[in-house]
Protein backbone atom coordinates (compact mmCIF):
# COMPACT_ATOMS: atom_id res chain seq x y z
CA UNK A 1 0.00 0.00 0.00
CA UNK A 2 1.65 3.23 -1.11
CA UNK A 3 0.64 6.74 -0.13
CA UNK A 4 -0.89 7.27 -3.56
CA UNK A 5 -4.30 8.95 -3.24
CA UNK A 6 -4.04 9.03 0.56
CA UNK A 7 -5.07 12.31 2.14
CA UNK A 8 -2.12 14.06 3.79
CA UNK A 9 -2.44 17.14 6.00
CA UNK A 10 0.73 19.21 6.35
CA UNK A 11 0.69 22.25 8.63
CA UNK A 12 2.89 25.23 7.87
CA UNK A 13 3.26 24.30 4.21
CA UNK A 14 3.81 27.71 2.65
CA UNK A 15 7.58 27.71 2.92
CA UNK A 16 10.67 26.02 4.23
CA UNK A 17 10.56 22.44 5.47
CA UNK A 18 6.74 22.27 5.40
CA UNK A 19 6.60 23.29 1.75
CA UNK A 20 9.19 20.67 0.83
CA UNK A 21 7.27 17.99 2.75
CA UNK A 22 3.96 18.90 1.12
CA UNK A 23 5.54 18.87 -2.34
CA UNK A 24 7.30 15.55 -1.72
CA UNK A 25 4.17 13.77 -0.46
CA UNK A 26 2.32 15.26 -3.43
CA UNK A 27 4.96 14.01 -5.83
CA UNK A 28 4.47 10.52 -4.36
CA UNK A 29 0.81 10.74 -5.28
CA UNK A 30 -0.83 11.80 -2.02
CA UNK A 31 -3.68 14.29 -1.96
CA UNK A 32 -2.09 17.08 0.05
CA UNK A 33 -3.77 19.72 2.14
CA UNK A 34 -1.12 22.27 3.00
CA UNK A 35 -1.97 24.90 5.57
CA UNK A 36 -0.90 28.51 5.93
CA UNK A 37 -1.85 31.19 8.43
CA UNK A 38 -3.24 33.61 5.81
CA UNK A 39 -5.58 33.42 2.81
CA UNK A 40 -2.73 34.68 0.63
CA UNK A 41 -0.44 31.94 1.88
CA UNK A 42 -3.08 29.28 1.27
CA UNK A 43 -3.68 30.57 -2.27
CA UNK A 44 0.06 30.40 -2.99
CA UNK A 45 0.14 26.78 -1.84
CA UNK A 46 -2.76 25.95 -4.17
CA UNK A 47 -0.94 27.67 -7.04
CA UNK A 48 2.28 25.80 -6.29
CA UNK A 49 0.44 22.46 -6.22
CA UNK A 50 -1.24 23.26 -9.54
CA UNK A 51 2.11 24.16 -11.15
CA UNK A 52 3.67 20.94 -9.93
CA UNK A 53 0.72 18.75 -10.82
CA UNK A 54 0.09 17.86 -7.18
CA UNK A 55 -3.39 16.83 -6.07
CA UNK A 56 -4.71 18.95 -3.22
CA UNK A 57 -5.05 22.52 -2.04
CA UNK A 58 -3.81 25.14 0.36
CA UNK A 59 -6.07 25.98 3.30
CA UNK A 60 -6.01 28.58 6.05
CA UNK A 61 -5.37 27.24 9.53
CA UNK A 62 -4.57 28.84 12.85
CA UNK A 63 -3.07 25.87 14.71
CA UNK A 64 -3.56 27.62 18.05
CA UNK A 65 -7.34 27.83 17.60
CA UNK A 66 -9.41 24.72 18.31
CA UNK A 67 -12.34 26.03 16.25
CA UNK A 68 -10.09 26.64 13.26
CA UNK A 69 -8.77 23.08 13.52
CA UNK A 70 -12.31 21.64 13.78
CA UNK A 71 -13.51 23.68 10.81
CA UNK A 72 -10.56 22.62 8.67
CA UNK A 73 -11.04 18.94 9.47
CA UNK A 74 -14.72 19.13 8.61
CA UNK A 75 -13.84 20.87 5.38
CA UNK A 76 -11.21 18.27 4.41
CA UNK A 77 -13.48 15.39 5.36
CA UNK A 78 -16.23 16.69 3.11
CA UNK A 79 -13.99 17.45 0.18
CA UNK A 80 -11.35 14.71 0.24
CA UNK A 81 -12.06 12.29 3.11
CA UNK A 82 -10.34 11.93 6.47
CA UNK A 83 -6.57 12.53 6.53
CA UNK A 84 -4.54 9.32 6.72
CA UNK A 85 -1.26 11.18 7.10
CA UNK A 86 -0.73 14.13 9.44
CA UNK A 87 2.50 16.08 9.40
CA UNK A 88 2.69 18.48 12.34
CA UNK A 89 5.21 20.90 10.96
CA UNK A 90 3.98 24.43 11.78
CA UNK A 91 6.29 26.06 14.27
CA UNK A 92 7.62 29.40 15.42
CA UNK A 93 10.55 30.76 17.38
CA UNK A 94 10.53 33.65 19.84
CA UNK A 95 14.07 33.56 21.13
CA UNK A 96 15.20 35.23 24.29
CA UNK A 97 17.32 34.50 27.31
CA UNK A 98 15.06 32.96 29.92
CA UNK A 99 15.84 35.81 32.31
CA UNK A 100 14.39 38.21 29.77
CA UNK A 101 11.66 36.00 28.34
CA UNK A 102 8.11 37.35 28.54
CA UNK A 103 5.06 35.21 29.25
CA UNK A 104 3.91 35.84 25.69
CA UNK A 105 7.19 34.59 24.24
CA UNK A 106 6.93 31.45 26.31
CA UNK A 107 3.25 30.64 25.84
CA UNK A 108 3.02 31.58 22.14
CA UNK A 109 5.78 29.10 21.31
CA UNK A 110 4.28 26.38 23.53
CA UNK A 111 0.86 26.92 22.01
CA UNK A 112 1.99 26.88 18.37
CA UNK A 113 4.67 24.21 18.54
CA UNK A 114 3.32 21.81 21.15
CA UNK A 115 -0.37 22.35 21.95
CA UNK A 116 -1.16 22.43 18.23
CA UNK A 117 0.15 18.87 17.94
CA UNK A 118 -2.31 17.83 20.63
CA UNK A 119 -5.19 19.56 18.81
CA UNK A 120 -4.41 18.26 15.34
CA UNK A 121 -3.50 14.72 16.32
CA UNK A 122 -6.69 14.37 18.34
CA UNK A 123 -8.77 15.71 15.48
CA UNK A 124 -7.22 13.34 12.94
CA UNK A 125 -7.16 10.16 15.04
CA UNK A 126 -10.81 9.33 14.61
CA UNK A 127 -10.49 8.79 10.88
CA UNK A 128 -7.21 6.93 11.26
CA UNK A 129 -8.67 4.59 13.88
CA UNK A 130 -11.60 3.78 11.64
CA UNK A 131 -9.29 3.17 8.70
CA UNK A 132 -6.96 1.06 10.87
CA UNK A 133 -4.12 2.94 9.19
CA UNK A 134 -2.51 6.25 9.95
CA UNK A 135 0.73 8.14 10.08
CA UNK A 136 1.40 11.02 12.42
CA UNK A 137 4.76 12.65 11.86
CA UNK A 138 5.90 15.52 14.05
CA UNK A 139 8.66 17.87 13.05
CA UNK A 140 10.93 18.51 16.00
CA UNK A 141 14.42 20.00 16.02
CA UNK A 142 17.94 19.06 17.00
CA UNK A 143 17.59 21.87 19.53
CA UNK A 144 15.15 19.67 21.45
CA UNK A 145 18.02 17.25 22.11
CA UNK A 146 21.06 19.54 22.18
CA UNK A 147 19.58 22.67 23.70
CA UNK A 148 20.48 26.12 22.48
CA UNK A 149 21.00 29.26 24.52
CA UNK A 150 18.13 31.68 23.98
CA UNK A 151 15.70 28.97 22.94
CA UNK A 152 14.45 27.47 26.19
CA UNK A 153 10.84 27.85 25.03
CA UNK A 154 11.50 26.39 21.57
CA UNK A 155 13.70 23.57 22.93
CA UNK A 156 11.06 22.63 25.50
CA UNK A 157 8.43 22.24 22.77
CA UNK A 158 10.73 20.31 20.48
CA UNK A 159 11.75 17.89 23.21
CA UNK A 160 8.07 17.67 24.14
CA UNK A 161 6.88 16.45 20.76
CA UNK A 162 9.17 13.42 21.01
CA UNK A 163 7.61 12.40 24.32
CA UNK A 164 4.15 13.01 22.94
CA UNK A 165 4.91 10.75 19.98
CA UNK A 166 6.23 7.94 22.17
CA UNK A 167 3.13 8.00 24.39
CA UNK A 168 0.66 8.25 21.52
CA UNK A 169 2.48 5.51 19.61
CA UNK A 170 1.71 3.17 22.50
CA UNK A 171 -1.93 4.26 22.65
CA UNK A 172 -2.80 3.70 19.01
CA UNK A 173 -0.27 1.17 17.75
CA UNK A 174 -2.87 -1.60 17.92
CA UNK A 175 -4.90 0.28 15.32
CA UNK A 176 -2.17 0.37 12.68
CA UNK A 177 -1.26 3.97 13.38
CA UNK A 178 2.38 4.98 13.74
CA UNK A 179 3.57 8.16 15.42
CA UNK A 180 7.09 9.38 14.80
CA UNK A 181 9.23 12.45 15.07
CA UNK A 182 11.75 13.90 12.67
CA UNK A 183 14.35 16.17 14.25
CA UNK A 184 16.02 18.35 11.61
CA UNK A 185 19.37 19.96 12.28
CA UNK A 186 20.50 23.17 10.67
CA UNK A 187 18.38 23.47 7.52
CA UNK A 188 18.57 26.27 4.97
CA UNK A 189 15.21 28.02 5.57
CA UNK A 190 13.86 31.44 6.52
CA UNK A 191 13.84 30.33 10.15
CA UNK A 192 17.58 29.71 10.22
CA UNK A 193 18.26 32.87 8.18
CA UNK A 194 17.27 34.76 11.32
CA UNK A 195 20.34 33.44 13.14
CA UNK A 196 23.41 35.66 13.42
CA UNK A 197 26.48 34.96 11.25
CA UNK A 198 28.45 33.91 14.32
CA UNK A 199 25.73 31.44 15.31
CA UNK A 200 25.67 30.05 11.76
CA UNK A 201 29.44 29.65 11.54
CA UNK A 202 29.59 27.96 14.90
CA UNK A 203 26.79 25.57 14.02
CA UNK A 204 28.19 24.78 10.60
CA UNK A 205 31.60 23.94 12.10
CA UNK A 206 29.85 21.28 14.19
CA UNK A 207 28.21 19.53 11.24
CA UNK A 208 30.02 16.37 10.13
CA UNK A 209 28.85 16.80 6.54
CA UNK A 210 30.13 20.40 6.62
CA UNK A 211 27.07 22.04 5.13
CA UNK A 212 23.52 23.07 5.88
CA UNK A 213 20.74 20.64 5.09
CA UNK A 214 18.16 21.36 2.43
CA UNK A 215 14.41 21.17 3.15
CA UNK A 216 14.14 18.33 0.61
CA UNK A 217 16.47 16.25 2.77
CA UNK A 218 13.92 16.43 5.59
CA UNK A 219 11.01 15.84 3.23
CA UNK A 220 12.55 12.58 2.02
CA UNK A 221 12.68 11.21 5.56
CA UNK A 222 9.09 12.27 6.21
CA UNK A 223 7.99 10.55 3.01
CA UNK A 224 9.79 7.41 4.17
CA UNK A 225 7.96 7.48 7.52
CA UNK A 226 4.66 7.95 5.69
CA UNK A 227 5.35 5.01 3.40
CA UNK A 228 4.85 1.31 3.96
CA UNK A 229 8.62 0.88 4.10
CA UNK A 230 8.36 2.39 7.60
CA UNK A 231 5.37 0.35 8.74
CA UNK A 232 7.32 -1.12 11.70
CA UNK A 233 8.80 2.19 12.85
CA UNK A 234 6.85 3.91 15.61
CA UNK A 235 7.52 6.14 18.61
CA UNK A 236 10.92 6.93 17.18
CA UNK A 237 12.78 10.16 16.61
CA UNK A 238 14.82 10.27 13.43
CA UNK A 239 17.65 12.77 13.61
CA UNK A 240 18.39 14.36 10.25
CA UNK A 241 21.20 16.78 10.91
CA UNK A 242 24.24 15.90 8.84
CA UNK A 243 26.00 14.53 11.90
CA UNK A 244 25.65 17.74 13.91
CA UNK A 245 24.30 15.76 16.82
CA UNK A 246 24.51 12.02 17.27
CA UNK A 247 22.52 10.32 20.00
CA UNK B 1 -36.11 -0.60 11.60
CA UNK B 2 -34.89 -2.60 14.58
CA UNK B 3 -35.23 -1.30 18.11
CA UNK B 4 -32.62 0.89 19.74
CA UNK B 5 -31.66 -2.00 21.99
CA UNK B 6 -31.01 -4.27 19.03
CA UNK B 7 -29.04 -1.63 17.19
CA UNK B 8 -26.86 -0.90 20.23
CA UNK B 9 -26.20 -4.60 20.81
CA UNK B 10 -25.30 -5.17 17.19
CA UNK B 11 -22.75 -2.35 17.30
CA UNK B 12 -21.27 -3.61 20.57
CA UNK B 13 -20.90 -7.09 19.09
CA UNK B 14 -19.26 -5.74 15.92
CA UNK B 15 -16.92 -3.33 17.66
CA UNK B 16 -15.75 -5.72 20.36
CA UNK B 17 -15.69 -8.82 18.19
CA UNK B 18 -18.04 -10.81 20.43
CA UNK B 19 -21.15 -12.84 19.63
CA UNK B 20 -24.44 -10.97 19.85
CA UNK B 21 -25.79 -13.45 22.39
CA UNK B 22 -22.91 -12.55 24.73
CA UNK B 23 -24.00 -8.93 24.70
CA UNK B 24 -26.31 -9.02 27.72
CA UNK B 25 -27.85 -5.81 28.98
CA UNK B 26 -25.91 -5.87 32.24
CA UNK B 27 -22.58 -6.72 30.56
CA UNK B 28 -19.71 -4.35 31.25
CA UNK B 29 -17.65 -3.56 28.15
CA UNK B 30 -14.35 -3.86 29.97
CA UNK B 31 -15.02 -6.53 32.58
CA UNK B 32 -17.36 -8.87 30.69
CA UNK B 33 -16.70 -8.22 27.02
CA UNK B 34 -12.94 -7.81 27.12
CA UNK B 35 -12.77 -4.24 25.85
CA UNK B 36 -9.66 -2.16 26.49
CA UNK B 37 -9.86 1.59 27.01
CA UNK B 38 -9.32 2.36 23.33
CA UNK B 39 -12.08 -0.13 22.39
CA UNK B 40 -14.51 1.84 24.54
CA UNK B 41 -13.54 5.04 22.74
CA UNK B 42 -14.16 3.37 19.40
CA UNK B 43 -17.44 1.97 20.62
CA UNK B 44 -18.67 5.46 21.46
CA UNK B 45 -17.51 6.64 18.02
CA UNK B 46 -19.56 3.85 16.44
CA UNK B 47 -22.62 4.72 18.52
CA UNK B 48 -22.26 8.37 17.50
CA UNK B 49 -22.30 7.36 13.87
CA UNK B 50 -25.16 4.88 14.14
CA UNK B 51 -27.38 7.38 15.93
CA UNK B 52 -26.03 10.47 14.17
CA UNK B 53 -25.21 12.33 17.34
CA UNK B 54 -22.25 13.61 19.28
CA UNK B 55 -21.67 12.17 22.73
CA UNK B 56 -19.68 14.57 24.93
CA UNK B 57 -16.53 13.10 26.50
CA UNK B 58 -17.85 13.50 30.04
CA UNK B 59 -20.98 11.53 29.09
CA UNK B 60 -19.06 8.96 27.08
CA UNK B 61 -16.95 8.07 30.10
CA UNK B 62 -20.08 7.04 32.00
CA UNK B 63 -21.25 4.59 29.33
CA UNK B 64 -19.63 1.45 30.69
CA UNK B 65 -22.30 -1.21 30.16
CA UNK B 66 -24.65 -2.24 27.40
CA UNK B 67 -27.67 -1.02 29.38
CA UNK B 68 -26.07 2.38 30.02
CA UNK B 69 -25.50 2.75 26.28
CA UNK B 70 -29.13 1.86 25.55
CA UNK B 71 -30.28 4.28 28.26
CA UNK B 72 -28.12 7.07 26.89
CA UNK B 73 -29.49 6.66 23.39
CA UNK B 74 -33.07 6.43 24.62
CA UNK B 75 -32.69 9.53 26.79
CA UNK B 76 -30.93 11.67 24.22
CA UNK B 77 -32.50 10.66 20.95
CA UNK B 78 -35.87 10.10 19.52
Amino acid sequence: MSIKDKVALVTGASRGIGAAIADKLGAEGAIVIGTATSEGGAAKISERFAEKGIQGVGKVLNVTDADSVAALLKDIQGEFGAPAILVNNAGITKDNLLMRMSDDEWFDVINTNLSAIYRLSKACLRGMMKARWGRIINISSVVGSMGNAGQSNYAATKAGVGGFARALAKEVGSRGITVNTVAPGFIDTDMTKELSDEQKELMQSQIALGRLGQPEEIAGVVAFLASDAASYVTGDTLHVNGGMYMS
Amino acid sequence: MSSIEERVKKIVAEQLGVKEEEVKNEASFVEDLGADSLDTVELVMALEEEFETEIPDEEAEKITTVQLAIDYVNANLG
Side-chain angles (χ1 to χ4, degrees):
Chain A
M1 199 158 57
S2 79
I3 64 168
K4 188 161 167 36
D5 296 330
K6 282 199 155 62
V7 177
L9 172 58
V10 181
T11 65
S14 56
R15 60 200 173 118
I17 291 171
I21 292 168
D23 291 357
K24 174 70 175 170
L25 296 178
E28 306 251 321
I31 301 164
V32 185
I33 292 86
T35 76
T37 49
S38 68
E39 290 285 352
K44 272 188 197 151
I45 294 171
S46 292
E47 274 170 37
R48 200 178 73 230
F49 286 177
E51 266 168 35
K52 297 189 172 192
I54 290 168
Q55 313 182 75
V57 289
K59 297 265 184 194
V60 176
L61 174 67
N62 174 1
V63 297
T64 67
D65 177 4
D67 292 340
S68 176
V69 170
L72 175 73
L73 262 291
K74 203 173 166 205
D75 197 13
I76 295 172
Q77 206 122 21
E79 207 171 329
F80 304 102
I85 300 162
L86 167 65
V87 182
N88 285 308
N89 167 75
I92 57 169
T93 54
K94 292 204 171 178
D95 298 353
N96 213 339
L97 294 173
L98 185 67
M99 294 291 286
R100 297 217 174 98
M101 190 172 289
S102 68
D103 281 6
D104 280 350
E105 286 168 340
W106 174 263
F107 286 112
D108 285 354
V109 171
I110 300 285
N111 203 3
T112 301
N113 295 8
L114 188 58
S115 303
I117 289 179
Y118 150 78
R119 283 183 206 103
L120 279 147
S121 302
K122 195 173 167 186
C124 290
L125 268 176
R126 190 186 184 99
M128 292 178 183
M129 277 172 54
K130 277 182 69 180
R132 292 286 189 270
W133 196 95
R135 296 279 193 270
I136 297 176
I137 301 158
N138 302 318
I139 306 305
S140 175
S141 165
V142 68
V143 168
S145 299
M146 283 179 74
N148 194 22
Q151 292 198 307
S152 57
N153 49 0
Y154 183 77
T157 63
K158 293 304 184 181
V161 300
F164 172 90
R166 288 188 284 278
L168 185 59
K170 290 191 175 183
E171 281 185 26
V172 297
S174 64
R175 303 304 194 267
I177 301 165
T178 67
V179 190
N180 290 291
T181 305
V182 175
F186 197 10
I187 308 300
D188 188 11
T189 65
D190 291 346
M191 192 184 268
T192 52
K193 284 193 181 85
E194 287 170 15
L195 298 169
S196 69
D197 286 345
E198 294 81 39
Q199 276 176 311
K200 278 186 205 170
E201 263 169 46
L202 180 67
M203 286 176 104
Q204 207 160 340
S205 71
Q206 295 167 344
I207 301 170
L209 293 178
R211 63 174 177 85
L212 302 191
Q214 292 303 312
E216 293 72 24
E217 294 177 295
I218 303 303
V221 175
V222 172
F224 160 70
L225 286 172
S227 78
D228 272 346
S231 52
Y232 204 54
V233 181
T234 195
D236 202 12
T237 297
L238 266 74
H239 290 274
V240 188
N241 57 40
M244 178 182 180
Y245 170 84
M246 303 176 197
S247 57
Chain B
M1 176 77 74
S2 47
S3 73
I4 282 176
E5 179 163 340
E6 284 165 352
R7 287 161 74 194
V8 168
K9 286 183 171 176
K10 186 160 182 283
I11 287 167
V12 171
E14 277 171 12
Q15 281 295 323
L16 303 183
V18 294
K19 292 186 186 119
E20 273 188 61
E21 54 265 32
E22 287 176 60
V23 185
K24 309 264 190 247
N25 290 46
E26 66 280 9
S28 150
F29 301 131
V30 174
E31 277 152 38
D32 301 317
L33 302 175
D36 65 20
S37 53
L38 196 59
D39 289 326
T40 62
V41 172
E42 284 191 306
L43 182 58
V44 169
M45 278 167 44
L47 290 170
E48 286 178 331
E49 268 166 36
E50 172 72 18
F51 296 101
E52 293 174 352
T53 184
E54 269 187 46
I55 305 176
D57 287 343
E58 60 271 24
E59 294 295 328
E61 282 170 19
K62 294 180 201 154
I63 303 173
T64 55
T65 68
V66 177
Q67 188 61 49
L68 287 168
I70 295 165
D71 291 347
Y72 181 87
V73 174
N74 275 325
N76 291 277
L77 296 164

